[in-house]
Amino acid sequence: MGCRYMIADSQNEPLCRAVLESPPDAAVWRLRVLDGGLSRVLEHEVVNLISTGENAPDMTGRILSSNRKDVLEVEPADLLGEALRQNLRVPVRFDSFLYPVSGTWTGRVPVVCHDLSCGGIAFFCDFPLQLGEVAEVVVPITAQPLILRAKILRRRPSNSAVPLYSAKFVDMIHDQEVLVREAVFSQQIANRDAQK
């Protein structure tokens, strides 16, 4: 009990965060909703429940009721795959640096983040990077700034004169995954609220 969840709609648009107050094997889950997001959740019949914990399942759930102002009862329905976590992606801009791991260059290279997901990062970088090389990238928007290893996957089309690269995080430990997942979800909520 006490596992943190991110609640999204069926299109994976973020709604709010919540804490599971019942056992994960219960027939009905009791979730304490955070972020004042209960009214947003109650607009839906089915939601995606994405765990930030290692041993808690990701589920779709059917909303049953809300007995108090911040408690939601949900009937867990189907397990969600790991791909859902990896695909949580948010446009976000921040300045950062790359450090070489497998490349032949030395020092640090400035980059500007284009978007961040639980599985990787896209960034603008004026330095020529080799596909397949591994570098460390600083991610400053998590609760605690992280230095993560990322493998350069491809160069993406862009309207900018500065090349845009996509990279996949590698060798992440669970605590790093949780911090990135929470940062991505929080940024999605902030972006959604800013658009309103």
Side-chain angles (χ1 to χ4, degrees):
M1 291 199 287
C3 181
R4 295 177 67 88
Y5 272 85
M6 298 176 292
I7 301 178
D9 67 17
S10 59
Q11 304 301 311
N12 292 326
E13 291 297 319
L15 298 172
C16 64
R17 294 174 295 161
V19 176
L20 182 63
E21 294 187 336
S22 57
D25 59 352
V28 173
W29 283 8
R30 211 171 38 260
L31 293 150
R32 185 170 38 87
V33 175
L34 308 175
D35 308 318
L38 187 61
S39 60
R40 284 191 297 270
V41 175
L42 291 175
E43 294 173 3
H44 302 274
E45 291 182 32
V46 176
V47 291
N48 290 332
L49 304 165
I50 305 159
S51 167
T52 62
E54 188 172 348
N55 297 318
D58 297 336
M59 304 288 292
T60 59
R62 190 170 61 86
I63 296 173
L64 300 177
S65 67
S66 173
N67 296 332
R68 298 191 326 234
K69 65 177 183 172
D70 64 345
V71 175
L72 181 69
E73 290 186 345
V74 176
E75 178 183 33
D78 297 312
L79 281 170
L80 294 171
E82 179 66 22
L84 181 67
R85 287 184 188 189
Q86 298 301 315
N87 292 329
L88 287 174
R89 177 174 300 278
V90 62
V92 62
R93 183 178 175 90
F94 57 80
D95 295 328
S96 188
F97 293 97
L98 283 184
Y99 298 89
V101 173
S102 69
T104 57
W105 50 283
T106 59
R108 71 179 186 180
V109 173
V111 298
V112 176
C113 181
H114 176 265
D115 64 53
L116 180 68
S117 76
C118 299
I121 187 169
F123 55 85
F124 293 99
C125 180
D126 214 4
F127 184 83
L129 299 169
Q130 299 299 312
L131 301 187
E133 81 172 273
V134 176
E136 290 182 330
V137 61
V138 179
V139 179
I141 67 163
T142 52
Q144 302 166 357
L146 295 174
I147 298 176
L148 300 172
R149 287 190 173 196
K151 181 178 182 179
I152 308 302
L153 297 179
R154 65 185 169 279
R155 194 168 155 179
R156 289 173 40 182
S158 164
N159 294 331
S160 173
V162 178
L164 176 60
Y165 292 93
S166 285
K168 166 177 89 167
F169 293 132
V170 295
D171 303 327
M172 287 178 79
I173 61 171
H174 174 69
D175 290 347
Q176 293 171 327
E177 290 176 9
V178 168
L179 288 170
V180 171
R181 194 175 309 134
E182 288 181 346
V184 167
F185 197 78
S186 294
Q187 189 67 46
Q188 285 178 319
I189 289 174
N191 290 353
R192 180 206 60 212
D193 291 346
Q195 291 173 353
K196 291 185 176 178

